[in-house]
Amino acid sequence: MARFFIEGGKRLSGEVNVSGAKNSALPIIAAALLTDKKVTLKNVPDVFDVRTMIELVTHLGARVDFKRNTLSIHTPKVKRLEAPYDIVTRMRASYYVLGALIAREKRASVAMPGGCAIGPRPIDLHIKGFTALGTKISITEGYINADARNLRGQNVDLQGPKGTSVGATINVMLAASRARGKTVISPAAAEPEVVDVANFLRALGVEISGQGSHEITVVGCDSFHSGVNYKIIPDRIEAGTFATVAAITRSRIVVKRAVSEHMTSVLEKLREIGLVIREAEDGIIVDGRGRRKATDIFVAPYPGFPTDMQAQFMALLSTIPGTSTIKESIFENRFMQAVELMRMGANITIEGDTAVIKGVKKLSGTQLMASDLRASSALVLAGLAAKGTTVVRRIYHLDRGYEKFEVKLRRLGASIRRGK
Ligand code: UD1
């Protein structure tokens, strides 16, 4: 199994190009199943999760061509209505084909996504949303079966115990795109990826408004535009990860294509820590060479501090003098990286949903095991700052969501290689 070997302690410099957003690309690829016309997507990141979604839509009948980050998808006919367990189990976001198939075929069957390393991840809000649209849902032998012959627009309440849901908002938008009449989703998630999916649906010809706010209106339609060509937004989490690389390695890095409006809470925190961040022509310049100080982070839905950046910040804060805290309110059990960081000498205590981090002078390189996607990048960041050699195992987690991560880091001057 592949591993990263990192020699820490190097100052980095130069420019890095941010890829397209994985969390936009996945639902947009599923959304391409809504139409029988050909769709071309640009800026699609070549990461494992995208490859898995391509495999899934191909299984359902799509003809796909993926070259140099351009993906064309054409589904004249849906051939299968079932998303099998062996694909869904690899990637939770497979559930987006449920919304798309409900819309197009009025029937679908998708294996139940299991739990995952970052805690229980229920799908009750997705089911609540589909049911509100007139879909009958049954669960048999580990599959969610949808009968949407009575699909119609409706008011959909997506309030859950932890607020609304990104995935459920998008899935209901997809189903509503071909429902009779008007759907109002409230509260809707306001993440930039939700806006991106809405903009893609608009490009297809769906009447949709309110994206970016907590109320989204969709008016279903049945005929779609031809020749749709859509460019996916840059990945704000990848951009934030590289900004954090500058911080932890005390370097100056130009993060090209980073969209600062999508990253306000992350950039605010980095500035509070002591970094100097400026807008560049096509991205941002992040300078981490100055003094740095501890901070407190409260993870929250967009535009709050993203849960997907919390692990990378834990690595960073482990190297900054003083006491910092991170409160994670979205997912339970998302501090998996803490024990590995502690093996590098970090001083972290977990008290319920809060991590207390006391900065140490230096982390030291050792053997580490990645547990999930963002935890993996946190361990790589720690390795870049640590003294000596760090070996990160199970980097297949990282490959799910970062495109050519080590290649991009090497171009910045990092000593990192992939090996067995
Ligand atoms: C998406 C992102 C993920 C990010 C997360 C939060 C993708 C592919 N993944 O995940 O990277 O960390 O948003 O920004 O885009 N919940 C329920 N019932 C549901 C659905 C969710 O209770 O039916 C809960 C979850 O357990 C969690 C919270 O709602 O506590 C938010 O989850 P959600 O926004 O749905 O995250 P995902 O869409 O799974």
Side-chain angles (χ1 to χ4, degrees), residues 22-24 26-27 49 92-93 95-96 118-127 160-170 189 191 193 236-237 300-302 306-308 329-332 334 373-374:
K22 165 185 87 80
N23 288 352
S24 287
L26 298 176
D49 276 4
R92 240 183 99 78
Y95 57 40
Y96 285 130
I118 61 172
R121 293 176 78 175
I123 50 157
D124 55 313
L125 289 173
H126 299 243
I127 293 178
K162 306 241 173 178
T164 183
S165 148
V166 173
T169 300
I170 293 176
E191 270 67 5
E193 294 77 18
R236 65 190 165 105
I237 304 301
Y302 189 82
T307 172
D308 288 352
S329 56
I330 298 187
F331 292 112
E332 291 158 38
R334 211 180 186 179
L373 169 57
R374 305 305 167 184

Side-chain angles (χ1 to χ4, degrees), residues 268-308:
E268 237 167 55
K269 273 296 156 197
L270 288 174
R271 286 192 173 109
E272 200 184 304
I273 287 170
L275 275 83
V276 178
I277 298 164
R278 283 191 295 115
E279 290 284 332
E281 202 178 301
D282 176 22
I284 54 174
I285 302 168
V286 187
D287 193 343
R289 293 172 299 183
R291 279 174 71 94
R292 305 170 310 165
K293 65 178 183 62
T295 189
D296 298 307
I297 289 174
F298 185 80
V299 169
Y302 189 82
F305 191 93
T307 172
D308 288 352

Side-chain angles (χ1 to χ4, degrees), residues 228-248:
V228 170
N229 201 317
Y230 188 83
K231 189 172 176 192
I232 310 273
I233 56 168
D235 195 308
R236 65 190 165 105
I237 304 301
E238 190 199 2
T241 302
F242 278 106
T244 314
V245 166
I248 204 167

